[in-house]
Amino acid sequence: MAKKLVIVESPAKAKTIGKLLGKGYNVKASIGHIRDLPKSKLGVDIDNEFTPQYVIPRDRKKIIKELKDAAKEASAIYLATDPDREGEAISWHLTMAVPFEGKSIHRVIFHELTDKAINTAFHNPTVIDMNKVNAQQARRILDRLVGYKISPLLWQKVRRGLSAGRVQSVALRMIVEREREIGNFTPEEFWTIDALLKKPGAEPQFIAKLNGFVDKKKKLIIHNKEESDKLIAELRISQYSVVSVNSKTVLRQPYPPFITSTLQQEAWQKLRFTAQRTMRIAQQLYEGLAIGDGQITGLITYMRTDSTRIDPAEISEARDYVKERYGTEFIPVNPRHFVRKIKGAQEAHEAIRPTSIRREPDSLKKYLTVDQYKLYELIWKKVLASQMSAASFRVLTVDIEAKSRDIKNNYLLRASSSTLTFKGFLILSGETKEDVEGIDSSKLPDLLKNDTLELKDLVPEQHFTQPPPRYTEATLIKALEDNGIGRPSTYASIVSVIQEREYVSKKEGRLHPAEIGMVISDLLTQNFPDTINVGFTAEMEEELDKVARGEIDWISILQGFYPSFADTLEKAKSNVQKIKLADEETGEVCPNCGKPMVIKMGRFGKFVACSGYPECKTTKPLVKKTGVKCPECEGELVERQSKKGRKFYGCSNYPACDFIINKKPLATACPQCGAIMVVQGTKMAKCTKCDYKMKLENTEAVS
């Protein structure tokens, strides 16, 4: 009996689904996209309604043949790619590239790799959603138009090898503008004063902060030491008494479950995972890992989502778990439902959650890598906490009057303390360090209105206003999300691409624009103000969302965008002057003449050369670190270039160690055998030892 052919993106996902479906199905992987725009030319017929000219990359032809052969023997075709625009487009491209003539074609959609979800999807197949496909095509073509049209301008006016991107350039602009804010910031001095007070005959001593004047209409700002010293002298001879004691209960509510952006942000804040690392690990948890008796199991739901919704059945399971584990008082009376109030949020999707809340992190620890365990635990606790009772604090606030000899200047001081009265969701380990913002947890003695207090000491402290902080990956993703730029599938690639191109570097976790990044950003901002623009990019995202919802035609977006963009491009070609960049010094000196060695750009990319050229023609390859350990010694794999410009990766201990690989290694090791993972094509990574393969994050085309 002929089997049904199921096509997914990655081999890991194929393996999991194959186990779940059983013998009647043949599950194959497309290894990401099997058609794309050509690398060698624009690939968009602008004069014919922006028709894309898709090609099958050379490394996909073998896969196409395998799928064709499998389709001939199949009784039906099921396209089970990811439940987003990219997945929808992959399914559509499969129908265009593989002849499925005479076969019934079904689109199946699921958000988790579990028996229940897979069975439901296969018993309720649908058809390819061309609205989503067209939204993906429109984005791809927009990115191609911007990248292929602006990049040559950068080659001509700045340096060969540079590139621009529709969305990444906006992110770069935000980083550059933040850097300029910091550079232009003028610190302003101000002082604070704390009073150490004591109630006669009672312990402990406590600190009250100078808050202002009793007359709240008057503001108190201490600008300098002279003003501080004058206030200190006045406060030393003032009389102190309690004017009010207020006690109230403050509830700390749990946060919603993770969406893509908040997972990336919290994984950085708590685990120091980059956005790309977070998404790679989440992909592994979603696609399934061998646990228990070796059964491949999907551990979390689909990780590219902007919805905080949780399925009612999963909420019920979480509430039952909390009740059994912690007691009835730890669940709220009514289930919690979280609704996103963000443009473009897809509420039909779910938040990122465990496929079963009863699959506790510690029960999986021995089956997972350290990184997989940490991320799973983060997701599991977030979902569980979201269905638990609020934490309760008793907050005590004491207002104190300092009566000055000058009756016009009676001062108000304030002391506060908080006491956790009910842990609620904070009972989950690792959450208690997050206290109620702005509350001092120091202890106060029993105080009553009109109590007289003794002044023991006054502590002045100088401060300066601080510039806005540089972005981290997490705060940049939040800023992109807040501004409506990018979508769950693109956040990680946006922040990684600008670093890979060396427009931005990361120092102590903060993003710093390089000189070349600032030059490019300024050129693009000045000459393409309507394209490299936060507001315009956000509007374009909303337009793409409308296409996905079937509200507008995708070609109309391109027709509205391109004419003015083309005019702007022609003006820029005439107006932009050649920019001479200073050579970047390496810190090394030439072994032949002693002059500084600098980084230059040649026909085959960057290389190191003597600054004394042409008198001294000493050169050597530029070595770039990868952060990946050599599997044969204690060295590090570094990127090198052959004389013909071909990249390869070799051990830093060469010639003592001659290990090399031709493909770019990933910082994340293979989750199955621990060997090096390398990039294969643009969408996949594979292990150098075993047959494990995984999908990489989507990248926007900016060639």
Side-chain angles (χ1 to χ4, degrees):
M1 183 177 178
K3 292 184 178 182
K4 297 171 182 176
L5 175 62
V6 181
I7 305 177
V8 298
E9 297 98 328
S10 76
K13 185 176 175 182
K15 194 173 182 180
T16 304
I17 292 178
K19 294 278 188 182
L20 294 171
L21 288 174
K23 295 180 179 179
Y25 295 84
N26 181 19
V27 186
K28 295 283 186 179
S30 69
I31 319 292
H33 279 274
I34 46 86
R35 293 202 312 171
D36 201 357
L37 297 175
K39 290 184 177 181
S40 59
K41 60 180 182 178
L42 180 64
V44 178
D45 189 346
I46 295 169
D47 298 324
N48 186 23
E49 294 189 324
F50 300 91
T51 302
Q53 299 164 353
Y54 293 115
V55 297
I56 298 172
R58 185 177 298 174
D59 63 352
R60 292 291 182 269
K61 289 184 178 179
K62 182 180 177 183
I63 296 168
I64 291 290
K65 184 180 183 307
E66 290 176 358
L67 293 176
K68 284 180 179 178
D69 292 342
K72 289 176 185 176
E73 305 298 324
S75 60
I77 310 297
Y78 288 83
L79 303 173
T81 50
D82 287 343
D84 56 16
R85 295 177 200 171
E86 205 72 25
E88 210 72 25
I90 291 172
S91 283
W92 177 73
H93 281 295
L94 282 165
T95 65
M96 297 292 105
V98 182
F100 294 136
E101 294 96 337
K103 310 288 183 181
S104 57
I105 301 173
H106 309 282
R107 173 75 169 112
V108 288
I109 297 173
F110 42 83
H111 294 81
E112 59 184 90
L113 302 187
T114 60
D115 277 321
K116 178 183 175 183
I118 298 298
N119 286 331
T120 299
F122 276 79
H123 281 94
N124 298 278
T126 181
V127 296
I128 293 173
D129 185 341
M130 286 306 299
N131 292 326
K132 285 184 180 179
V133 172
N134 290 335
Q136 190 274 346
Q137 287 196 98
R139 175 189 285 279
R140 185 75 179 91
I141 293 169
L142 280 168
D143 293 336
R144 175 55 65 102
L145 291 173
V146 172
Y148 265 61
K149 294 293 185 179
I150 295 181
S151 294
L153 176 69
L154 297 179
W155 304 344
Q156 181 185 4
K157 304 295 185 179
V158 186
R159 191 173 72 194
R160 285 199 64 82
L162 299 177
S163 59
R166 183 179 64 88
V167 179
Q168 292 95 334
S169 295
V170 175
L172 176 62
R173 177 178 178 176
M174 292 168 67
I175 293 169
V176 169
E177 289 179 347
R178 175 62 59 87
E179 192 71 20
R180 295 239 162 87
E181 280 185 73
I182 294 169
N184 296 330
F185 183 81
T186 302
E188 294 183 7
E189 182 182 8
F190 69 99
W191 288 68
T192 58
I193 297 174
D194 289 347
L196 182 62
L197 300 169
K198 186 178 186 302
K199 179 179 178 179
E203 293 293 342
Q205 295 180 358
F206 64 96
I207 291 174
K209 297 181 179 295
L210 180 61
N211 198 260
F213 295 102
V214 172
D215 180 0
K216 294 182 180 178
K217 293 180 182 179
K218 297 167 65 177
K219 289 187 177 180
L220 176 62
I221 301 174
I222 310 170
H223 296 95
N224 50 49
K225 188 174 187 301
E226 184 181 358
E227 291 181 8
S228 175
D229 289 344
K230 185 178 177 182
L231 263 173
I232 291 283
E234 200 170 347
L235 289 168
R236 287 199 186 281
I237 57 174
S238 296
Q239 294 179 328
Y240 295 81
S241 62
V242 176
V243 293
S244 67
V245 179
N246 292 309
S247 178
K248 66 178 180 179
T249 297
V250 172
L251 297 179
R252 161 84 183 275
Q253 303 289 349
Y255 291 107
F258 287 126
I259 58 174
T260 304
S261 61
T262 55
L263 176 64
Q264 291 168 344
Q265 291 161 39
E266 196 156 321
W268 167 254
Q269 291 158 2
K270 291 188 174 180
L271 306 176
R272 284 297 183 257
F273 287 179
T274 64
Q276 285 278 39
R277 183 178 176 187
T278 297
M279 295 307 287
R280 274 200 299 269
I281 300 163
Q283 183 90 31
Q284 295 162 12
L285 296 173
Y286 164 70
E287 291 185 337
L289 297 165
I291 63 171
D293 57 0
Q295 183 176 352
I296 304 294
T297 304
L299 298 179
I300 64 170
T301 54
Y302 192 57
M303 63 285 159
R304 296 182 189 94
T305 177
D306 51 13
S307 171
T308 53
R309 188 184 71 84
I310 294 286
D311 185 90
E314 304 305 324
I315 291 176
S316 179
E317 183 184 37
R319 286 170 61 85
D320 288 345
Y321 177 89
V322 172
K323 183 178 178 181
E324 294 167 17
R325 179 74 183 268
Y326 299 107
T328 307
E329 67 272 26
F330 282 89
I331 54 173
V333 174
N334 298 311
R336 295 185 189 278
H337 298 281
F338 299 92
V339 178
R340 291 272 286 161
K341 295 182 180 178
I342 298 273
K343 273 188 177 182
Q346 304 296 304
E347 289 300 325
H349 296 172
E350 275 196 86
I352 304 168
R353 61 167 175 80
T355 52
S356 173
I357 203 71
R358 294 186 179 278
R359 202 172 281 126
E360 298 173 343
D362 284 347
S363 71
L364 301 176
K365 195 168 188 177
K366 62 184 176 182
Y367 307 113
L368 307 181
T369 65
V370 172
D371 283 359
Q372 289 167 352
Y373 170 77
K374 287 179 178 178
L375 195 67
Y376 180 79
E377 183 183 43
L378 201 66
I379 294 166
W380 185 86
K381 284 183 177 178
K382 183 66 70 173
V383 170
L384 193 64
S386 74
Q387 294 303 319
M388 296 180 73
S389 299
S392 179
F393 293 83
R394 176 178 172 269
V395 179
L396 187 66
T397 304
V398 180
D399 283 352
I400 298 158
E401 182 180 30
K403 283 191 176 180
S404 168
R405 287 183 177 180
D406 181 356
I407 194 67
K408 294 179 182 177
N409 284 334
N410 285 355
Y411 297 102
L412 179 69
L413 297 92
R414 181 164 289 166
S416 63
S417 70
S418 66
T419 304
L420 181 64
T421 55
F422 178 66
K423 287 184 178 180
F425 73 95
L426 294 179
I427 198 170
L428 294 175
S429 60
E431 295 288 342
T432 52
K433 64 182 179 182
E434 297 177 34
D435 207 343
V436 176
E437 291 182 9
I439 292 179
D440 184 355
S441 60
S442 58
K443 297 293 182 183
L444 295 175
D446 290 331
L447 296 171
L448 299 172
K449 185 176 179 179
N450 298 324
D451 278 351
T452 299
L453 302 173
E454 297 175 4
L455 176 67
K456 308 303 289 184
D457 197 9
L458 290 164
V459 182
E461 188 173 354
Q462 182 187 39
H463 306 271
F464 291 92
T465 53
Q466 297 296 309
R470 290 182 178 88
Y471 289 110
T472 63
E473 285 195 5
T475 57
L476 178 60
I477 288 170
K478 186 176 190 308
L480 292 170
E481 181 187 36
D482 289 346
N483 283 288
I485 297 171
R487 286 296 179 260
S489 62
T490 62
Y491 293 135
S493 66
I494 290 169
V495 297
S496 66
V497 165
I498 56 177
Q499 293 176 73
E500 288 168 5
R501 290 183 182 146
E502 299 180 355
Y503 299 163
V504 170
S505 63
K506 194 189 298 181
K507 300 173 186 175
E508 297 179 348
R510 301 270 171 189
L511 299 174
H512 295 246
E515 179 194 6
I516 184 65
M518 298 184 84
V519 168
I520 290 172
S521 182
D522 289 347
L523 186 155
L524 296 178
T525 300
Q526 291 162 14
N527 293 279
F528 299 89
D530 296 330
T531 304
I532 311 304
N533 176 284
V534 170
F536 171 79
T537 307
E539 288 173 14
M540 193 61 70
E541 294 288 1
E542 177 57 28
E543 293 292 290
L544 293 170
D545 288 342
K546 288 179 180 178
V547 173
R549 295 193 294 266
E551 296 172 8
I552 59 174
D553 178 64
W554 69 287
I555 295 172
S556 66
I557 291 182
L558 300 168
Q559 291 171 334
F561 165 77
Y562 189 73
S564 61
F565 171 72
D567 289 344
T568 303
L569 180 66
E570 289 306 310
K571 290 176 185 176
K573 288 177 180 177
S574 302
N575 297 338
V576 177
Q577 301 299 310
K578 179 77 176 176
I579 298 171
K580 175 66 176 174
L581 291 173
D583 290 326
E584 180 185 347
E585 293 194 9
T586 64
E588 301 175 62
V589 295
C590 177
N592 294 322
C593 72
K595 289 185 177 179
M597 297 290 282
V598 295
I599 297 173
K600 289 186 173 289
M601 176 64 73
R603 182 181 173 190
F604 298 116
K606 291 182 178 180
F607 66 99
V608 178
C610 178
S611 59
Y613 180 85
E615 289 77 17
C616 179
K617 297 181 180 179
T618 303
T619 64
K620 67 176 188 176
L622 176 65
V623 175
K624 292 172 64 176
K625 295 181 178 180
T626 65
V628 179
K629 284 188 177 181
C630 174
E632 295 185 3
C633 72
E634 293 300 312
E636 178 183 357
L637 296 187
V638 294
E639 180 185 306
R640 301 181 188 273
Q641 277 189 335
S642 69
K643 290 182 179 179
K644 293 185 177 180
R646 291 181 179 176
K647 288 183 182 179
F648 65 95
Y649 301 86
C651 181
S652 58
N653 288 335
Y654 179 83
C657 176
D658 60 0
F659 177 84
I660 68 165
I661 50 177
N662 291 322
K663 297 190 175 181
K664 183 179 179 180
L666 297 181
T668 302
C670 174
Q672 286 191 174
C673 71
I676 294 173
M677 297 287 292
V678 295
V679 174
Q680 183 182 35
T682 58
K683 298 289 183 181
M684 299 298 296
K686 69 173 183 178
C687 179
T688 52
K689 260 191 179 178
C690 69
D691 62 353
Y692 182 81
K693 294 179 182 179
M694 69 181 185
K695 184 179 174 185
L696 292 174
E697 273 303 284
N698 294 323
T699 56
E700 293 182 321
V702 202
S703 302

